[in-house]
Amino acid sequence: MYRIIDRNTYYRAGVYRHFTEDCKCSLSMTARVDVTELAGRSRRTGTKFYVNFLYLLCKVLNSREDYRLAYLWQEDKLICYDEIHPTQYVFHEDTETCTPVYTRWNEDYKTFYHGALADLERAKESREYGLDAAGHPNFFDASYIPWLSYDGMHLELPDGYLYYLPIVCWGRWREENGRLVLPLTVRLNHATADGFLVANVFRLLEKEIKAFCE
């Protein structure tokens, strides 16, 4: 399920020490992602854009160890999960509350797509928050904010809290110069990621969208 990272030989050892001892902080970045082709493919194939986008996001975040790191504070261990899975959320209009949806990542597109849809349908029957982070340690937050095409978002955790898994949010798309773009926000801990690694999520996602739509 995971392997232990030797912090003495970890390629970011110096940076890791600094941002876990001297300056504990995280960073989040918001940028617009062009989803014109992905929206078109979703329409042509009769599939849900949201699940297609989530599939590609999961593929990106599982493609590098940097995005699969975690800290086991009970044992003071830096670890890398073999894979990470998305925690989706279902919004209930009647109660204006959310229910977490735990979906297993699978690189096989059809398996993931149908699994994600089934998980969402089951969650619609519940009004319980039902968060089970302890039972799903290698899951990352993937939140869709459909009410707004926002320009900026800042995600915070308590100072000194060494949480390394990605926290990702995205909003409603809007048309700009004939293209469909949506805001995407990625939060990572500075101990395990810098500006390059955060920006790289966006760059990799653009490549995956292009390949998926060819």
Side-chain angles (χ1 to χ4, degrees), residues 25-166:
C25 64
S26 61
L27 67 158
S28 59
M29 187 180 297
T30 298
R32 295 198 174 277
V33 178
D34 189 326
V35 294
T36 309
E37 277 72 30
L38 183 58
R41 185 190 188 281
S42 301
R43 286 193 299 270
R44 291 192 303 273
T45 58
T47 55
K48 292 187 178 296
F49 170 87
Y50 164 80
V51 182
N52 291 338
F53 184 82
L54 182 64
Y55 168 79
L56 296 173
L57 177 65
C58 291
K59 190 173 183 179
V60 166
L61 295 179
N62 275 282
S63 69
R64 283 189 65 129
E65 290 187 354
D66 299 283
Y67 306 134
R68 293 184 274 118
L69 298 177
Y71 177 63
L72 301 183
W73 62 270
Q74 303 93 331
E75 305 170 50
D76 188 30
K77 292 179 179 177
L78 174 64
I79 65 168
C80 177
Y81 287 113
D82 295 337
E83 56 186 8
I84 57 176
H85 313 277
T87 302
Q88 312 178 63
Y89 292 89
V90 164
F91 181 76
H92 306 292
E93 296 284 350
D94 56 340
T95 59
E96 297 184 349
T97 59
C98 293
T99 295
V101 184
Y102 295 106
T103 293
R104 301 288 301 184
W105 159 244
N106 194 306
E107 192 165 0
D108 180 77
Y109 167 68
K110 290 184 178 179
T111 301
F112 177 84
Y113 184 89
H114 293 298
L117 284 182
D119 293 337
L120 289 168
E121 289 303 313
R122 282 193 295 269
K124 290 178 181 178
E125 303 302 317
S126 173
R127 294 298 182 273
E128 297 296 324
Y129 187 57
L131 186 66
D132 180 26
H136 299 81
N138 57 330
F139 280 68
F140 71 93
D141 275 282
S143 300
Y144 174 43
I145 304 171
W147 308 280
L148 185 68
S149 182
Y150 60 85
D151 293 311
M153 176 185 291
H154 186 58
L155 298 170
E156 293 185 6
L157 289 177
D159 288 344
Y161 189 59
L162 301 180
Y163 182 82
Y164 300 157
L165 289 174

Side-chain angles (χ1 to χ4, degrees), residues 1-12:
M1 187 177 182
Y2 66 80
R3 66 181 181 84
I4 298 172
I5 303 293
D6 185 340
R7 281 177 282 191
N8 294 315
T9 58
Y10 175 39
Y11 86 105
R12 290 173 50 85

